[in-house]
Amino acid sequence: MKLIYKCDLFTYTMFLVIVLMYVYNIFVNGFDAFTGISGEQVTRAGGMDGDSSLIAIISSLFAHQSASHLIINLIMFYVLGRMTYDNFGNIPYIVGFFASGIVGNLITLIVLNNGTALGTSGCIFGLIGMLLIASFSNLEKFEKLYKIKIYIAILAITCIFYTLMNFGHGTNIYSHLFGFTTGVVTGFIYSGILKLNKGCGVK
């Protein structure tokens, strides 16, 4: 029960932070926060640009461009976050979430020196990467994921394909792809640790 409480605390805290960041977005950008902000409005809402500080790199993980952007990410974060916790546990879930988002943002800053970025998508793609690796890891701990590995693979392929098809149309492909890559690496590392642990069986 204690671990479930921790999971709920993290998930719902992040959920609340994202919603509060959006309320702040509405406060500083008005109706544009519903239809879509751009340029200078992004940094005012907590997003990042080429001159961003460490605080902005983190705050941008919770800021969103529009109402539709917010709703889609909230739904995906909740569903995938619960799946990640149920199979990885609290600490790998939290580490994977933040590592994927921060790495994705850092790569974005390097590639898009004068661009802007915001959103939880990099974190979400990281969770997808973790779940994908776990589902094919052949570990008893991930037996539930193994049973739905085809669906997870389809989700990963669909999300990556959608990202690539929207290149040049406002989608931050660097945050998405490098967030996913970081999640894959996190999944490999954690699976490797489990395989070294004699208490976790390998099928």
Side-chain angles (χ1 to χ4, degrees):
M1 292 301 295
K2 186 177 180 181
L3 288 178
I4 293 176
Y5 171 74
K6 286 185 178 180
C7 170
D8 288 340
L9 180 62
F10 176 73
T11 301
Y12 292 119
T13 298
M14 294 301 98
F15 202 96
L16 178 61
V17 170
I18 293 171
V19 171
L20 290 177
M21 285 291 291
Y22 187 68
V23 171
Y24 175 73
N25 186 0
I26 296 172
F27 179 76
V28 297
N29 290 316
F31 188 76
D32 288 343
F34 294 97
T35 57
I37 59 176
S38 61
E40 186 178 312
Q41 292 177 311
V42 169
T43 55
R44 289 207 304 262
M48 65 177 195
D49 60 13
D51 298 319
S52 289
S53 63
L54 177 60
I55 294 177
I57 291 174
I58 295 176
S59 68
S60 65
L61 300 178
F62 308 105
H64 287 81
Q65 187 175 28
S66 65
S68 59
H69 187 205
L70 172 75
I71 293 170
I72 292 171
N73 276 0
L74 281 178
I75 293 172
M76 292 194 68
F77 166 57
Y78 181 80
V79 174
L80 295 172
R82 293 307 298 265
M83 286 179 63
T84 305
Y85 173 77
D86 287 342
N87 291 278
F88 281 83
N90 209 37
I91 294 178
Y93 167 32
I94 296 173
V95 170
F97 177 86
F98 281 111
S100 299
I102 292 173
V103 169
N105 276 355
L106 290 175
I107 296 298
T108 299
L109 283 181
I110 294 172
V111 178
L112 301 177
N113 188 39
N114 295 319
T116 58
L118 76 174
T120 316
S121 300
C123 305
I124 292 170
F125 270 67
L127 299 183
I128 294 173
M130 291 175 67
L131 292 169
L132 179 66
I133 295 304
S135 67
F136 285 89
S137 66
N138 205 34
L139 283 165
E140 289 183 2
K141 179 178 177 64
F142 300 131
E143 186 173 0
K144 289 187 294 185
L145 291 177
Y146 179 81
K147 294 178 180 178
I148 58 171
K149 64 180 180 180
I150 299 302
Y151 298 105
I152 296 175
I154 291 173
L155 174 64
I157 293 171
T158 301
C159 288
I160 292 174
F161 180 77
Y162 175 82
T163 296
L164 294 175
M165 289 299 98
N166 281 275
F167 178 68
H169 297 283
T171 298
N172 182 359
I173 68 168
Y174 305 105
S175 175
H176 291 193
L177 297 181
F178 284 96
F180 176 78
T181 302
T182 302
V184 167
V185 172
T186 303
F188 269 122
I189 292 174
Y190 187 66
S191 296
I193 292 173
L194 290 180
K195 288 179 180 179
L196 291 175
N197 186 340
K198 294 181 180 180
C200 294
V202 179
K203 291 182 181 180

